[in-house]
Amino acid sequence: MTVSWSALAERLTGLQPVPEPTVVAILGVVALACVVLAWPVTRMVVTVAHEAGHAIVALLAGRRLTGIRLHSDTSGLTVSRGRPQGPGMVATLLAGYPAPALMGLGAAWLLASGRALLVMALLVVVMAGMLLMIRNLFGLLVVVIGTTLVGLTAWYLQPVHQSWIAYFLTWVLLLAAPRPVVELARQRSRTSDPAQLARLTGVPGGIWILLFGTVTVGSLIAGLGVLAPGVLRWG
């Protein structure tokens, strides 16, 4: 089966049904259960988004991306070349922890206007780009599985089910993003993002952790207001 570029563009920019508020709430509860009960899996989703954030900002800052690794302990590493100091390096280090939350918030805004298929298409594009830079077998396996599952969902499922999957993934990103920041606050690693930012800028690592927490929690609250506005209404 062949599909023209114009037909593909029309499909991607088309609208999918926005689920009923009850369905959105149920998907949020299921996502929260996954964050609590299946953390190693949801933590890997967050890690993929985290490393994608580093990689995208590194490229935007004019750095040369040399590799991405994803490890079985759910950690990751993105390596880029360029000036070891300066705004580009700071922006690259700064991008990781906020990335899952900001991706989730952006997806929430698209979903509110019925763009579920576009959300999944953007996820596929990001992961497909990561495939070119993955430098270890486990990371390759994770990204291939993720790209395949989201791609098959976008291509074969009915629009209503595409919306459900897109809402679920968005909830996962929003709900899971703050947890790694909490874990980070308990660590004393000299190689962590805030530790490196502290050495580069002179701003204490705790301030950077506070910033990460503010962005992730703020994005969760904003995303909640977009996906389930009734929850935030008082009176």
Side-chain angles (χ1 to χ4, degrees):
M1 181 176 65
T2 59
V3 180
S4 68
W5 285 110
S6 59
L8 181 60
E10 182 178 354
R11 183 178 180 186
L12 290 178
T13 56
L15 300 181
Q16 289 70 51
V18 175
E20 293 294 326
T22 302
V23 175
V24 174
I26 291 172
L27 292 170
V29 171
V30 173
L32 180 60
C34 290
V35 172
V36 174
L37 302 176
W39 181 235
V41 177
T42 50
R43 179 67 165 85
M44 183 56 71
V45 173
V46 173
T47 298
V48 170
H50 178 117
E51 302 306 328
H54 281 314
I56 291 170
V57 173
L59 292 173
L60 292 175
R63 299 180 63 80
R64 180 170 173 264
L65 193 61
T66 59
I68 301 172
R69 291 177 177 270
L70 303 172
H71 304 127
S72 58
D73 63 356
T74 71
S75 65
L77 177 67
T78 297
V79 179
S80 62
R81 291 183 180 177
R83 290 184 58 196
Q85 297 178 333
M89 187 64 196
V90 170
T92 299
L93 288 169
L94 185 61
Y97 281 95
L102 294 177
M103 288 180 184
L105 182 57
W109 283 108
L110 289 174
L111 290 176
S113 61
R115 310 284 181 179
L117 189 57
L118 182 58
V119 168
M120 287 188 288
L122 291 172
L123 290 175
V124 169
V125 168
V126 169
M127 288 188 290
M130 291 181 72
L131 279 175
L132 302 175
M133 302 308 302
I134 290 290
R135 294 294 182 263
N136 68 322
L137 183 60
F138 181 81
L140 182 65
L141 181 63
V142 168
V143 179
V144 165
I145 291 174
T147 306
T148 301
L149 289 177
V150 177
L152 290 176
T153 296
W155 192 258
Y156 288 108
L157 291 190
Q158 294 298 314
V160 62
H161 299 138
Q162 291 170 349
S163 292
W164 290 1
I165 297 299
Y167 269 84
F168 172 74
L169 292 175
T170 300
W171 275 125
V172 167
L173 287 172
L174 289 170
L175 292 166
R179 185 166 174 176
V181 180
V182 175
E183 295 174 349
L184 179 66
R186 297 172 179 169
Q187 298 173 354
R188 292 294 183 268
S189 172
R190 292 182 57 82
T191 60
S192 67
D193 292 351
Q196 294 183 69
L197 285 165
R199 289 194 293 272
L200 284 173
T201 65
V203 177
I207 300 299
W208 294 110
I209 294 174
L210 180 61
L211 176 61
F212 296 156
T214 300
V215 172
T216 55
V217 173
S219 295
L220 172 57
I221 294 172
L224 185 63
V226 174
L227 296 176
V231 175
L232 298 182
R233 290 176 187 160
W234 294 86

